[in-house]
Amino acid sequence: FLKGNKLIKTESSNPILQKLFTNRYLFCGETCAGKSTTGRYLLEKYGLYHIEASDFMTLKYHETHGTNFIVDKNIYAAEILKIEPDFVVNKVLEFIKEHDIYDKFIITGFRTKYEVETFMQMFPSQKIKLIYLQASFYQRYKR
């Protein structure tokens, strides 16, 4: 609202003002709450780099089982996270480092509170805005 009405400017050469705003977001929420849709929107509208954390689990699944879903992907992910709870967090951090995207990103797709907390502790930055998206059961079911 403030930005849309030109009452606030987030890009500034003033380093103090730059520290007040973040371009790093981590979106959480239940299945079909709109996290990925929001990520795509922010990518298209504001140029934020959208990192879908669950894609790293999907990639591991494909590397292990091929492209046919013989094992339920959600069950597979839950089993992997029991053995290696930091797997997806580490992959996201590696991706950020490899592509040098320490600013202007949005992350969606973490599956557990542990992943969110671990990422927030491990990411070498002071400001990440954590946003929890909610949608009614009916809205999520329709999606």
Side-chain angles (χ1 to χ4, degrees), residues 29-99:
E30 295 177 324
T31 302
C32 295
K35 302 175 298 292
S36 296
T37 301
T38 302
R40 283 190 298 275
Y41 173 79
L42 292 173
L43 166 67
E44 293 168 9
K45 182 84 174 167
Y46 299 104
L48 296 178
Y49 201 100
H50 179 207
I51 302 168
E52 176 59 46
S54 63
D55 286 348
F56 295 102
M57 188 62 75
T58 301
L59 178 61
K60 183 168 180 69
Y61 182 94
H62 290 313
E63 291 172 347
T64 307
H65 296 289
T67 55
N68 295 329
F69 288 99
I70 300 164
V71 177
D72 181 274
K73 190 169 82 169
N74 293 319
I75 294 171
Y76 176 80
E79 291 301 315
I80 293 295
L81 293 175
K82 283 181 191 173
I83 299 165
E84 196 177 344
D86 296 341
F87 172 76
V88 175
V89 172
N90 289 333
K91 290 295 184 184
V92 169
L93 289 168
E94 286 172 20
F95 186 84
I96 289 170
K97 289 175 188 172
E98 285 174 17
H99 294 86

Side-chain angles (χ1 to χ4, degrees), residues 109-127:
F110 283 135
R111 294 176 178 264
T112 66
K113 180 181 173 187
Y114 173 82
E115 288 178 309
V116 171
E117 290 171 347
T118 302
F119 181 82
M120 298 290 279
Q121 291 171 357
M122 293 174 70
F123 187 75
S125 176
Q126 49 297 52
K127 294 262 185 195

